[in-house]
């Protein structure tokens, strides 16, 4: 497990994509003692790697002492820097403090492109000088590159540059628009992303350094599909084995997910990591949309940050930039349309209804089940199950309507919903504004429950409207109309 700490918001560059919008020191950044306490919490939580980043971490005066303290706790310190401040003296101090690896940002083989992107002339040469100083001092380093349309064709050349200057690895970050990068239309399209992942994995098999895609969890799937070697067994780590701490102690599942879930000043970090509801939900891997039914869900996980950004806050949604999702949904969609049209007339009343349905449609049972799971994941089908005739089973039911003050609706509804016999409860624009159905084993039991609900809620005006006659209306849409609804729901 690894945790990143943005040790300061201060930075000497002006990168246009910066997720922290770094520049000046932020007010209220964690002090030295608070940093020590956070590091202790990271060690208690079971983390093994701590990434010191920024801003620019080398602008923090006590960075060497913090690194040394992390090392003394048994953590493996790593430093992520823009590389421009890696003088021989600074590199020696980092090495003496216990830094295991330095990550240096380099986004182009062309110094003008890099300098323009980083906002400061001379930053490209300064980063390469910093890499040379690391190599001379025997301090391992790796290059970090963020992929954009403007440098997409340079990535393999940057691989080769990393090899040539003695880097131990080249980590390629796939841009997620957040911070200063929010609103920038510079994310590469899914097909280009998929193609680059395949090329990087193939190069990893040939080059003597580690090539690691980051923020593109699909690389694990691509490696499996192409039978390419990779030591990484999981794509998106957010909340599962990774998180990040901001300069002021705020905790986030991922640098690119603007979702603050706690603060180490208010609660020890290890308690946040173990008990926060967002982390716990991420660890369920119960994703929505195609990610929820994908065969590679446990390996890839989809980019949680992209889901959060694309949906306006749903970090469990599907990854919008996954080519595999698009390709698989194109295959599922025609069968799913057939299935939903066929389901209008009900399931076959046989011991294996889905097998029988598959036989009717001329496909396997597995394909039918996947189509149904996909329909549910996309929200087209909310529920698929049996509808029982309660009277035939010996039960009775009624529809109740209550006159409830608007300021008490939530509290009254919560009391009513706690009864096992309540199946529906909804609000209507009427004097009798809260309507619910109630099931019981007998008429006597039903009357007692209604009276009990009146007493517990304090709402005396609850009327019972039992059905005198029942009608079953089969609503079947014409096939073409249903296809139109189906298409509209997906579009």
């Amino acid at each position: 497990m690894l945790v990143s700490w943005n040790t300061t918001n201060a930075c000497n560059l002006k990168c246009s994509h910066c997720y922290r919008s770094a520049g000046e020191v932020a007010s209220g950044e964690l002090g030295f003692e608070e940093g020590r306490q956070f590091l202790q919490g990271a060690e208690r939580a079971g983390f093994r790697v701590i990434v010191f980043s920024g801003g620019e971490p080398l602008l923090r005066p006590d960075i060497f002492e913090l690194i040394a303290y992390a090392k003394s706790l048994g953590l493996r310190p790593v430093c992520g820097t823009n590389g421009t401040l890696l003088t021989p003296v600074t590199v020696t101090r980092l090495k003496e403090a216990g830094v295991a690896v330095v990550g240096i940002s380099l986004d182009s083989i062309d110094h003008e492109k890099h300098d323009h992107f980083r906002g400061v002339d001379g930053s490209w040469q300064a980063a390469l000088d910093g890499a040379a100083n690391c190599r001379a001092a025997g301090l391992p380093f790796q290059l970090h590159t963020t992929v954009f349309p403007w440098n997409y064709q340079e990535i393999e050349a940057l691989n080769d540059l990393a090899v040539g200057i003695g880097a131990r690895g080249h980590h390629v970050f796939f841009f997620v628009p957040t911070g200063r990068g929010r609103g920038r239309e510079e994310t590469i399209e899914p097909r280009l992303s998929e193609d680059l992942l395949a090329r990087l994995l193939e190069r990893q098999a040939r080059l003597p350094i580690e090539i690691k895609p980051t923020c593109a969890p699909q690389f694990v799937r691509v490696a499996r599909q192409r039978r390419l070697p990779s030591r990484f067994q999981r794509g998106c780590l957010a909340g599962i084995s990774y998180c990040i701490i901001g300069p002021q102690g705020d905790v986030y599942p991922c640098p690119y997910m603007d979702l603050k879930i706690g603060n180490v000043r208010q609660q020890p970090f290890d308690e946040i990591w173990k008990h926060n509801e967002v982390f716990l939900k991420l660890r369920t891997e119960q994703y929505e949309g195609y990610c929820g039914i994908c065969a590679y869900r446990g390996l890839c996980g989809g980019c949680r940050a992209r889901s959060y950004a694309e949906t306006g806050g749903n970090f469990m949604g599907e990854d919008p930039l996954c080519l595999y999702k698009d390709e698989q949904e194109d295959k599922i969609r025609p069968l799913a349309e057939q299935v939903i049209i066929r389901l209008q007339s009900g399931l076959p009343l046989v011991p294996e209804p889905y097998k029988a349905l598959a036989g009717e449609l001329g496909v396997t049972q597995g394909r039918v089940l996947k189509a149904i799971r996909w329909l549910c994941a996309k929200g087209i089908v909310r529920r698929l199950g049996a509808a029982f005739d309660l009277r035939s089973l010996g039960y009775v039911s009624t529809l109740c309507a209550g006159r409830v003050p608007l300021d008490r609706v939530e509290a009254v509804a919560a009391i009513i919903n706690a009864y096992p016999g309540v199946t529906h409860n909804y609000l209507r624009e009427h004097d009798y504004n809260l309507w619910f159905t109630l099931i019981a084993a007998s008429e006597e039991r039903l009357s007692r429950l209604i009276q009990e609900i009146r007493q517990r809620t304090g709402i005396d005006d609850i009327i019972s409207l039992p059905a005198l006659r029942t009608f079953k209306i089969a609503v079947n849409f014409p096939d073409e109309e249903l296809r139109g609804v189906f298409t509209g729901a997906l579009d």
Side-chain angles (χ1 to χ4, degrees):
M1 299 199 305
L2 73 156
V3 58
S4 294
W5 177 17
N6 295 143
T7 56
T8 181
N9 200 63
C11 190
N12 59 327
L13 300 186
K14 302 171 185 176
C15 309
S16 57
H17 71 311
C18 180
Y19 66 82
R20 284 229 55 82
S21 301
E24 300 299 321
V25 175
S27 62
E29 293 185 356
L30 294 180
F32 181 70
E33 188 54 41
E34 290 174 316
R36 280 166 49 99
Q37 291 173 11
F38 154 63
L39 292 170
Q40 292 167 13
E43 189 277 330
R44 288 195 302 269
F47 284 86
R48 290 295 172 261
V49 178
I50 169 72
V51 181
F52 291 89
S53 64
E56 173 48 59
L58 296 178
L59 288 174
R60 179 164 175 141
D62 57 3
I63 191 66
F64 304 104
E65 290 78 13
L66 287 167
I67 291 170
Y69 185 69
K71 177 73 172 178
S72 73
L73 293 175
L75 297 170
R76 185 172 187 259
V78 175
C79 184
T81 170
N82 60 46
T84 62
L85 302 179
L86 289 170
T87 64
V89 172
T90 297
V91 169
T92 298
R93 293 189 68 186
L94 286 172
K95 187 175 181 181
E96 290 173 348
V99 163
V101 182
V102 173
I104 300 172
S105 298
L106 198 73
D107 296 292
S108 178
I109 56 173
D110 183 323
H111 69 92
E112 290 184 353
K113 289 182 181 179
H114 176 93
D115 290 356
H116 176 74
F117 179 62
R118 294 284 168 176
V120 175
D121 289 343
S123 57
W124 182 85
Q125 188 59 56
L128 286 180
D129 290 344
N133 292 332
C134 288
R135 185 176 188 179
L139 179 58
F141 69 95
Q142 60 194 38
L143 296 188
H144 293 172
T145 299
T146 302
V147 184
F148 296 96
W150 59 265
N151 68 354
Y152 177 82
Q153 298 296 340
E154 300 181 44
I155 302 305
E156 281 109 330
L158 283 162
N159 292 164
D160 296 334
L161 175 63
V163 174
I165 64 175
R168 68 183 290 277
H170 184 202
H171 287 209
V172 180
F173 291 74
F174 287 67
F175 177 60
V176 180
T178 187
R180 260 201 303 262
R182 186 177 286 112
R184 294 175 62 92
E185 299 298 325
E186 292 194 282
T187 301
I188 60 174
E189 59 187 64
R191 189 165 296 282
L192 291 177
S193 175
E194 186 94 356
D195 182 61
L196 180 56
L197 288 175
R199 298 197 325 257
L200 290 174
L201 289 164
E202 287 168 357
R203 298 206 96 211
Q204 166 68 94
R206 301 195 307 268
L207 294 177
I209 65 172
E210 177 177 272
I211 308 295
K212 165 69 164 59
T214 301
C215 300
Q218 293 82 9
F219 83 92
V220 184
R221 167 183 55 79
V222 174
R224 291 295 180 92
Q225 287 177 314
R226 296 175 179 249
R227 298 184 179 179
L228 294 168
S230 175
R231 70 180 181 88
F232 300 99
Q233 302 300 312
R234 170 77 190 184
C236 184
L237 306 178
I240 297 174
S241 59
Y242 174 79
C243 70
I244 190 166
I245 315 302
Q248 296 149 317
D250 295 326
V251 182
Y252 303 84
C254 164
Y256 309 106
M257 192 188 299
D258 190 18
L259 176 62
K260 182 174 71 173
I261 63 174
N263 188 286
V264 298
R265 281 183 168 132
Q266 299 164 2
Q267 185 180 11
F269 173 68
D270 51 315
E271 292 185 10
I272 297 173
W273 177 254
K274 292 175 183 176
H275 304 300
N276 183 270
E277 61 182 17
V278 172
F279 284 155
L280 295 178
K281 190 169 185 178
L282 284 165
R283 291 166 199 163
T284 67
E285 301 181 14
Q286 298 300 308
Y287 308 124
E288 300 171 20
Y290 190 79
C291 283
I293 65 168
C294 183
Y296 294 96
R297 180 181 67 188
L299 292 172
C300 168
C303 179
R304 299 298 97 218
R306 285 199 177 88
S307 170
Y308 183 80
E310 183 75 11
T311 62
N314 182 10
F315 55 85
M316 297 300 284
E318 65 185 19
D319 186 337
L321 291 182
C322 177
L323 180 67
Y324 182 74
K325 168 186 74 72
D326 296 340
E327 292 176 340
Q328 292 300 305
E329 288 190 330
D330 286 345
K331 295 177 182 177
I332 293 173
R333 184 168 174 158
L335 177 59
E337 185 177 288
Q338 288 181 277
V339 167
I340 201 167
I341 290 171
R342 171 60 181 80
L343 285 176
Q344 285 196 107
S345 55
L347 282 170
L349 294 177
V350 295
E352 296 182 281
Y354 297 111
K355 186 175 181 179
L357 182 58
E360 290 181 30
L361 298 176
V363 296
T364 65
Q365 179 178 245
R367 287 190 61 194
V368 165
L369 291 172
K370 186 169 184 178
I372 291 172
R373 286 196 294 269
W374 181 74
L375 287 165
C376 294
K378 301 298 285 188
I380 297 171
V381 171
R382 285 195 302 172
R383 179 180 176 273
L384 185 63
F388 294 100
D389 182 349
L390 296 171
R391 294 188 178 188
S392 298
L393 296 173
Y395 288 87
V396 294
S397 66
T398 188
L399 174 65
C400 296
R403 194 196 303 263
V404 183
L406 289 178
D407 62 348
R408 293 204 58 216
V409 166
E410 292 295 331
V412 170
I415 293 171
I416 293 171
N417 292 346
Y419 282 84
V422 173
T423 60
H424 296 76
N425 193 351
Y426 51 96
L427 194 64
R428 297 185 65 179
E429 293 182 1
H430 191 274
D431 287 343
Y432 286 91
N433 55 345
L434 197 64
W435 294 65
F436 60 96
T437 54
L438 184 62
I439 301 169
S442 65
E443 294 286 356
E444 182 184 359
R445 175 62 177 161
L446 195 64
S447 297
R448 286 204 308 268
L449 285 173
I450 295 170
Q451 186 57 33
E452 184 180 307
I453 288 171
R454 291 190 182 110
Q455 292 172 351
R456 289 191 60 202
T457 61
I459 304 298
D460 291 327
D461 198 356
I462 296 177
I463 57 176
S464 175
L465 303 168
L468 300 180
R469 297 175 65 191
T470 59
F471 300 87
K472 181 64 176 176
I473 302 174
V475 180
N476 288 320
F477 295 95
D479 290 359
E480 287 307 311
E481 184 176 342
L482 190 58
R483 285 191 181 97
V485 172
F486 180 80
T487 302
L490 292 175
D491 296 342

